[in-house]
Amino acid sequence: MFSSLFSTRGGSYSFVIFFLTTLGLLISALPVIVVTLMSFSAAETAAFPPAEYSFRWYEALWAQLSSDESSSAHSLGDAMFTSVLVAALVMLIATFVCVPLAYALVRGGGRVRAGMELLFTLPLVFPLVILGIAFLLIAESLALDLGIWRLVIPHVALVLPFVLRNCMSAMNGIDIEIEEAAISLGASWPRAFLDVVVPLMKPGILAGLIFALIISFNEFTITFFMYTIDVSTLPIWMYSRTVSSLDPAVLSLSVGIILVDVVMILIIDKIIAGRASLF
Amino acid sequence: MSTDLKIEGVSKNFGSVSALRDIDMNVEKGSFVCLLGPSGCGKTTLLRIIAGFEHATSGRLLLDGVDVSNVPPHKRGFGMVFQSLALFPHMSVAQNIAYGLKLRGIDKASQRDRVEELLNVIELPTIADRPVAALSGGQRQRVAIARALAVQPKLFLLDEPLSALDAKLRENMQIELRQLQRKFGVTTVLVTHDQTEAMMLADQLVIMDHGVVRQSGMPSQVYREPADAFVADFLGTANVVKGEVSESGAVTFLGILAQDKALPVGGAGIEVAIRAENIAVVECENPERSILGTVEFVRDLGPNVESIIAVGEEKLRVRSRAREVVSLSAGQQVGLKIDPDLCSFFSR
């Protein structure tokens, strides 16, 4: 497949293209391959490459999940539940903020838009450690029991630029005349927004959703500052299991997470492609 | 279903910029009005004010005598075709056409009947379930028109709807559009910068420039009796040259003497508009009532030959029928005959 692809394109540079593509694939796939192989190790400790293969670490992970006492401080089940809940909340809040915001910024235009875009992009360029400290200081100064929101709020700030950017690029492609056409046919503005703008923004919204979900689910740096004994996420749990000695069950867990991520991306991609095929 | 529209003293300012100044206009029931003008003349702004997407700074819109200036656009019950056509890309052709009906709470069966009826009218009965993206330019055009007409609009508004089509298709669509409008008897306002399109479609032509109406009337009348030099120049190809009025009232331009022109006397300078097709090119030996010129540029367009001929300081654009003209070439000396009765005279 590759040879036919590269023999027809790029001419005499096809070798360079082939080399760079292979390198890129290798770099991005290598960690996944290593982790997956090691998770099937039969050895007592994690080493690469494993001498023998088995499912023992998957069994260990399952045992940990099913026999988990909810009273234990660093419960895997609790961490998983918190992670999913935080990610879902972050995803919903970010979307509900970003869809109207993207509309307002694109339709508003001009100087306001440039300024606001910059403002919402700030968390991207801010060093995450400092961002974590900043949120921690804010949370402490509030002296409130924020519960799960002490993670949700910083996560929303972190994913906002990604969701906003996706929504805005989708919004950019929607001609104002389409909206006006709906209005001229008798739709009130909210109706036109729901009937025409939101469906046309759908690919951008879905892409934003998946970004929010994955970024929040995998977030470590800020969460490391913000987590408490009651509110902790999966990455924190995994870190606690690897910081002194590497528990191979963590590798099995991450293989599971990768699988879920891939399935999710495939589903979203299918939805977006199904939508795009209309054009 | 049809209504008449009256525009009274409508002005529009964008900040300190005045886009429309004191527009008065009457659109008769069932008539086809074209707003024509160069880009930036305010014609689209006026259409958007009629549609309700812009709010006039002052003035009123009367629909059958009822002031609708403050009615929001979605409650005006007008049908509009946009420059980009603005079909909903996520809906099928039938869904596009039925959208306005759906909003009016019309039941599904009646919606389907109406969609079918309109698809027959636009002679595309088989495309109902197709996605909009699968349509050709001309088909999209027709669907956009059908969508706007489906709601039986009180007023049919079109914003340069044919500008994206190629010349041949555009001409066909103009004919179709005119036939559809007659068939539905709907009062129509169309914005265009294409004078041929306006001439061919309009019952009433409204020439706009810099936010004011320069002239309004039947196309042929506006063409033959332009109100000022701008209209003469904008509609068709006209040469606007300077002329003089003597104390006795005699007019001279390009060395031609014209008597008995009802003009403001007083020795003031005037402007004379001569249509390109009203200049006859003759052999230069014929001195009677002809003036001498030098051919600068010739192009043969098939049925017509267009040329630029220098007469003194002035460069005249001349359009002659190919069969009737002597063969022209650049640098050649020719005689020109201009009938003052076919010229328009304006005080400067």
Side-chain angles (χ1 to χ4, degrees), chain B residues 53 105 158 170-171 178 199 243 287 325:
Chain B
F53 294 127
L158 302 104
R170 187 159 60 221
E171 220 180 293
R178 185 72 183 134
M199 293 285 291
V325 74

PDB file of all heavy atoms in Angstrom, chain B residues 53 105 158 170-171 178 199 243 287 325:
ATOM      1  N   PHE B  53     -34.307  43.339   8.235  1.00  0.00           N
ATOM      2  CA  PHE B  53     -33.005  42.990   8.818  1.00  0.00           C
ATOM      3  C   PHE B  53     -32.219  44.220   9.231  1.00  0.00           C
ATOM      4  O   PHE B  53     -31.254  44.128   9.979  1.00  0.00           O
ATOM      5  CB  PHE B  53     -32.188  42.143   7.844  1.00  0.00           C
ATOM      6  CG  PHE B  53     -32.800  40.799   7.591  1.00  0.00           C
ATOM      7  CD1 PHE B  53     -33.049  40.359   6.311  1.00  0.00           C
ATOM      8  CD2 PHE B  53     -33.142  39.977   8.649  1.00  0.00           C
ATOM      9  CE1 PHE B  53     -33.634  39.134   6.083  1.00  0.00           C
ATOM     10  CE2 PHE B  53     -33.730  38.748   8.436  1.00  0.00           C
ATOM     11  CZ  PHE B  53     -33.969  38.330   7.138  1.00  0.00           C
ATOM     12  N   GLY B 105     -46.946  25.874  11.086  1.00  0.00           N
ATOM     13  CA  GLY B 105     -47.787  24.839  11.688  1.00  0.00           C
ATOM     14  C   GLY B 105     -48.706  24.143  10.705  1.00  0.00           C
ATOM     15  O   GLY B 105     -49.752  23.620  11.090  1.00  0.00           O
ATOM     16  N   LEU B 158     -35.707  39.957  -3.636  1.00  0.00           N
ATOM     17  CA  LEU B 158     -34.551  39.236  -4.184  1.00  0.00           C
ATOM     18  C   LEU B 158     -33.327  40.140  -4.180  1.00  0.00           C
ATOM     19  O   LEU B 158     -33.375  41.267  -4.676  1.00  0.00           O
ATOM     20  CB  LEU B 158     -34.836  38.770  -5.611  1.00  0.00           C
ATOM     21  CG  LEU B 158     -36.049  37.874  -5.823  1.00  0.00           C
ATOM     22  CD1 LEU B 158     -37.185  38.663  -6.432  1.00  0.00           C
ATOM     23  CD2 LEU B 158     -35.710  36.684  -6.694  1.00  0.00           C
ATOM     24  N   ARG B 170     -28.118  32.768 -16.759  1.00  0.00           N
ATOM     25  CA  ARG B 170     -28.706  33.939 -16.131  1.00  0.00           C
ATOM     26  C   ARG B 170     -29.865  34.473 -16.984  1.00  0.00           C
ATOM     27  O   ARG B 170     -30.920  34.797 -16.480  1.00  0.00           O
ATOM     28  CB  ARG B 170     -27.637  35.023 -15.936  1.00  0.00           C
ATOM     29  CG  ARG B 170     -28.134  36.205 -15.140  1.00  0.00           C
ATOM     30  CD  ARG B 170     -27.008  36.983 -14.539  1.00  0.00           C
ATOM     31  NE  ARG B 170     -26.109  37.509 -15.547  1.00  0.00           N
ATOM     32  CZ  ARG B 170     -24.801  37.527 -15.439  1.00  0.00           C
ATOM     33  NH1 ARG B 170     -24.229  37.039 -14.370  1.00  0.00           N
ATOM     34  NH2 ARG B 170     -24.059  38.034 -16.386  1.00  0.00           N
ATOM     35  N   GLU B 171     -29.631  34.502 -18.273  1.00  0.00           N
ATOM     36  CA  GLU B 171     -30.668  35.011 -19.162  1.00  0.00           C
ATOM     37  C   GLU B 171     -31.925  34.139 -19.097  1.00  0.00           C
ATOM     38  O   GLU B 171     -33.037  34.647 -19.006  1.00  0.00           O
ATOM     39  CB  GLU B 171     -30.124  35.046 -20.589  1.00  0.00           C
ATOM     40  CG  GLU B 171     -30.538  36.268 -21.348  1.00  0.00           C
ATOM     41  CD  GLU B 171     -29.960  36.229 -22.747  1.00  0.00           C
ATOM     42  OE1 GLU B 171     -28.727  36.331 -22.844  1.00  0.00           O
ATOM     43  OE2 GLU B 171     -30.734  36.079 -23.709  1.00  0.00           O
ATOM     44  N   ARG B 178     -39.351  36.047 -14.297  1.00  0.00           N
ATOM     45  CA  ARG B 178     -40.412  36.964 -14.694  1.00  0.00           C
ATOM     46  C   ARG B 178     -41.738  36.208 -14.868  1.00  0.00           C
ATOM     47  O   ARG B 178     -42.792  36.680 -14.443  1.00  0.00           O
ATOM     48  CB  ARG B 178     -40.012  37.654 -16.006  1.00  0.00           C
ATOM     49  CG  ARG B 178     -40.961  38.705 -16.468  1.00  0.00           C
ATOM     50  CD  ARG B 178     -40.890  39.944 -15.596  1.00  0.00           C
ATOM     51  NE  ARG B 178     -41.868  40.920 -16.036  1.00  0.00           N
ATOM     52  CZ  ARG B 178     -42.678  41.597 -15.246  1.00  0.00           C
ATOM     53  NH1 ARG B 178     -42.613  41.426 -13.954  1.00  0.00           N
ATOM     54  NH2 ARG B 178     -43.523  42.457 -15.722  1.00  0.00           N
ATOM     55  N   MET B 199     -33.590  46.007 -16.825  1.00  0.00           N
ATOM     56  CA  MET B 199     -34.417  46.427 -17.963  1.00  0.00           C
ATOM     57  C   MET B 199     -35.388  45.315 -18.345  1.00  0.00           C
ATOM     58  O   MET B 199     -36.533  45.550 -18.706  1.00  0.00           O
ATOM     59  CB  MET B 199     -33.548  46.744 -19.190  1.00  0.00           C
ATOM     60  CG  MET B 199     -32.658  47.944 -19.050  1.00  0.00           C
ATOM     61  SD  MET B 199     -33.534  49.497 -19.177  1.00  0.00           S
ATOM     62  CE  MET B 199     -33.994  49.511 -20.896  1.00  0.00           C
ATOM     63  N   GLY B 243     -21.679  71.027 -23.393  1.00  0.00           N
ATOM     64  CA  GLY B 243     -22.270  71.856 -24.431  1.00  0.00           C
ATOM     65  C   GLY B 243     -22.494  73.265 -23.927  1.00  0.00           C
ATOM     66  O   GLY B 243     -22.260  73.558 -22.750  1.00  0.00           O
ATOM     67  N   PRO B 287     -20.157  65.927 -45.847  1.00  0.00           N
ATOM     68  CA  PRO B 287     -19.998  66.976 -44.862  1.00  0.00           C
ATOM     69  C   PRO B 287     -21.321  67.395 -44.199  1.00  0.00           C
ATOM     70  O   PRO B 287     -21.308  68.025 -43.169  1.00  0.00           O
ATOM     71  CB  PRO B 287     -19.431  68.127 -45.684  1.00  0.00           C
ATOM     72  CG  PRO B 287     -19.965  67.907 -47.062  1.00  0.00           C
ATOM     73  CD  PRO B 287     -20.300  66.455 -47.213  1.00  0.00           C
ATOM     74  N   VAL B 325     -22.465  49.283 -40.877  1.00  0.00           N
ATOM     75  CA  VAL B 325     -21.353  50.201 -40.710  1.00  0.00           C
ATOM     76  C   VAL B 325     -20.265  49.929 -41.757  1.00  0.00           C
ATOM     77  O   VAL B 325     -20.091  48.802 -42.220  1.00  0.00           O
ATOM     78  CB  VAL B 325     -20.781  50.090 -39.278  1.00  0.00           C
ATOM     79  CG1 VAL B 325     -19.979  48.821 -39.111  1.00  0.00           C
ATOM     80  CG2 VAL B 325     -19.953  51.311 -38.937  1.00  0.00           C
TER      81      VAL B 325
END
